[in-house]
């Protein structure tokens, strides 16, 4: 049995998860590594104490491999060789990839029910730990899509419900439709993309977990974070750590409900990211990072 590290914990609904989660997307879309490196990355995350893994049925490349990332995560959990019963796998439905590089939407309730059934099968679980409605579909009334998520909760197919890419109005509406059972909101948030601050503030007020997506600016920009934002490089130099680690520590400091989910496709990067949970930033450093644009 493997000995896992303990990381500081935050809460999603009734479940305690590690302060830093693992975003699975880079292991299944354009530029993805081979399977061996992906499994090594997920196992490195588990070794480091990660107990939140974010995925989606749409994290795949070709048309015929829907759920590539869900299946990869399920396999990596099965082959880990240690206890994974405390790991919350958070998946999503409502986005599709037809295989030509594009991302399309389907928020139809019947589609969401079938997508959830397919995710259940791929993850090999009786109930999905956290199911998130991926992105509003302008062709379907939002209430109808969230109503389908409520029905999945009531049917016991999902244990907890979340939404993604939602504005404050939709956060309140979803929580109402779900009867106060909305546990998480996943929106884009990074040094380069600050416009989700109202949603972060609302989640803090309501005690709903906020999962910043692309927290480092996304796969193509993550490596340049320090070059693009001098304040993050400066604080990183002072602590002798990476600017990416500073960025994640800054998000943790912004709100007790923030749980970043940095994407990773290499053991080295997820190990570096999880160390953000132990990086304390001084108030003047946080103010400097807040002001960095
Ligand atoms: N809900 C939505 O609509 C939505 C949209 C996009 C993403 N997401 C979720 O959010 C997750 C994170 O977003 P993302 O993957 O797009 O972008 P990201 O987390 O901003 O950046 C990911 C990239 O950062 C690099 N990285 C990670 N930690 C690092 C570190 N400590 N030092 C240096 N580089 C580091 C990784 O490089 P390596 O690949 O070399 O390891 C990876 O390719 C996704 O994986 C996905 O689960 C959700």
């Amino acid at each position: 049995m493997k000995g896992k590290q303990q990381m500081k914990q935050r809460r999603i609904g009734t479940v305690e998860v590690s302060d830093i989660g693992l975003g699975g997307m880079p292991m299944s879309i354009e530029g993805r590594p081979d399977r061996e490196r992906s499994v090594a990355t997920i196992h490195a995350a588990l070794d480091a104490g990660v107990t939140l893994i974010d995925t989606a049925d749409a994290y795949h490349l070709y048309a015929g491999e829907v759920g590539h990332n869900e299946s990869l995560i399920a396999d990596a959990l099965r082959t880990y060789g240690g206890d994974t019963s405390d790991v919350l796998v958070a998946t999503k439905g409502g986005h599709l990839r037809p295989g030509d590089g594009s991302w399309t939407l389907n928020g139809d309730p019947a589609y969401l029910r079938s997508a959830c059934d397919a995710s259940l099968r791929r993850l090999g679980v009786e109930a999905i730990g956290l199911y998130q409605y991926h992105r509003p579909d302008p062709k379907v009334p939002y209430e109808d899509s969230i109503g389908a998520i409520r029905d999945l909760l009531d049917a016991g197919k999902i244990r907890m419900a979340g939404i993604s890419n939602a504005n404050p109005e939709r956060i309140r509406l979803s929580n109402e439709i779900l009867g106060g059972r909305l546990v998480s909101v996943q929106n884009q948030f990074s040094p380069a993309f600050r416009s989700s601050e109202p949603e972060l503030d609302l989640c803090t007020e309501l005690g709903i977990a906020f999962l910043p997506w692309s927290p480092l600016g996304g796969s193509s920009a993550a490596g340049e974070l320090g070059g693009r934002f001098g304040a993050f490089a400066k604080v990183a130099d002072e602590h002798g750590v990476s600017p990416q680690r500073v960025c994640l520590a800054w998000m943790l400091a912004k709100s007790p409900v923030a749980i970043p989910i940095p994407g990773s496709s290499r053991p080295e990067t997820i190990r570096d990211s999880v160390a953000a949970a132990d990086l304390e930033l001084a108030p003047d450093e946080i103010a400097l990072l807040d002001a960095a644009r």
Side-chain angles (χ1 to χ4, degrees), residues 71-133:
S71 302
L72 176 71
I73 289 163
D75 280 356
L77 288 171
R78 266 194 297 274
T79 59
Y80 179 57
D83 180 20
T84 57
S85 59
D86 57 348
V87 177
L88 177 67
V89 177
T91 193
K92 313 181 199 80
H95 241 320
L96 295 91
R97 300 205 76 192
D100 59 0
S102 67
W103 297 77
T104 58
L105 295 167
N106 193 343
D108 177 65
Y111 167 75
L112 290 174
R113 280 193 294 276
S114 69
C116 178
D117 281 340
S119 290
L120 271 166
R121 281 194 296 277
R122 282 188 293 266
L123 293 171
V125 293
E126 277 172 27
I128 291 171
L130 171 60
Y131 197 67
Q132 306 156 98
Y133 180 44

Side-chain angles (χ1 to χ4, degrees), residues 14-252:
T14 54
V15 177
E16 298 253 313
V17 296
S18 52
D19 271 19
I20 302 286
L22 169 67
M25 192 172 77
M27 293 181 276
S28 290
I29 65 164
E30 289 82 349
R32 67 191 183 191
D34 62 28
R35 188 171 189 82
E36 196 183 343
R37 197 175 99 191
S38 291
V39 171
T41 302
I42 299 165
H43 287 179
L46 296 171
D47 286 345
V50 167
T51 56
L52 169 65
I53 305 182
D54 182 72
T55 182
D57 56 359
Y59 295 165
H60 65 96
L61 194 46
Y62 305 111
E65 51 163 32
V66 175
H68 177 279
N69 199 246
E70 292 177 325
S71 302
L72 176 71
I73 289 163
D75 280 356
L77 288 171
R78 266 194 297 274
T79 59
Y80 179 57
D83 180 20
T84 57
S85 59
D86 57 348
V87 177
L88 177 67
V89 177
T91 193
K92 313 181 199 80
H95 241 320
L96 295 91
R97 300 205 76 192
D100 59 0
S102 67
W103 297 77
T104 58
L105 295 167
N106 193 343
D108 177 65
Y111 167 75
L112 290 174
R113 280 193 294 276
S114 69
C116 178
D117 281 340
S119 290
L120 271 166
R121 281 194 296 277
R122 282 188 293 266
L123 293 171
V125 293
E126 277 172 27
I128 291 171
L130 171 60
Y131 197 67
Q132 306 156 98
Y133 180 44
H134 207 148
R135 188 181 284 274
D137 178 354
K139 298 185 299 307
V140 179
Y142 196 65
E143 296 83 336
D144 293 358
S145 305
I146 300 301
I149 305 292
R150 177 202 54 217
D151 294 347
L152 292 170
L153 257 184
D154 290 342
K157 293 198 172 191
I158 65 176
R159 291 194 208 286
M160 297 192 292
I163 54 174
S164 180
N165 301 302
N167 60 21
E169 191 190 334
R170 285 181 166 150
I171 294 173
R172 290 191 190 279
L173 177 63
S174 300
N175 201 26
E176 197 182 304
I177 293 169
L178 293 167
R181 293 177 291 171
L182 178 70
V183 300
S184 67
V185 173
Q186 183 176 142
N187 275 12
Q188 185 174 14
F189 186 70
S190 67
F193 191 98
R194 308 281 182 102
S195 58
S196 279
E197 289 205 359
E199 289 85 18
L200 173 58
D201 291 345
L202 179 60
C203 286
T204 307
E205 180 194 321
L206 298 176
I208 291 172
F210 182 87
L211 280 43
W213 67 255
S214 292
L216 305 173
S219 279
S220 54
E224 305 307 315
L225 196 143
R228 166 118 197 254
F229 296 95
F232 284 81
K234 180 174 180 289
V235 173
D237 280 349
E238 282 161 6
H239 286 270
V241 302
S242 69
Q244 290 81 8
R245 198 186 297 184
V246 168
C247 174
L248 299 170
W250 167 69
M251 287 182 181
L252 289 172

Side-chain angles (χ1 to χ4, degrees), residues 2 12 138 180 270:
K2 293 204 175 200
I12 300 182
I270 187 62

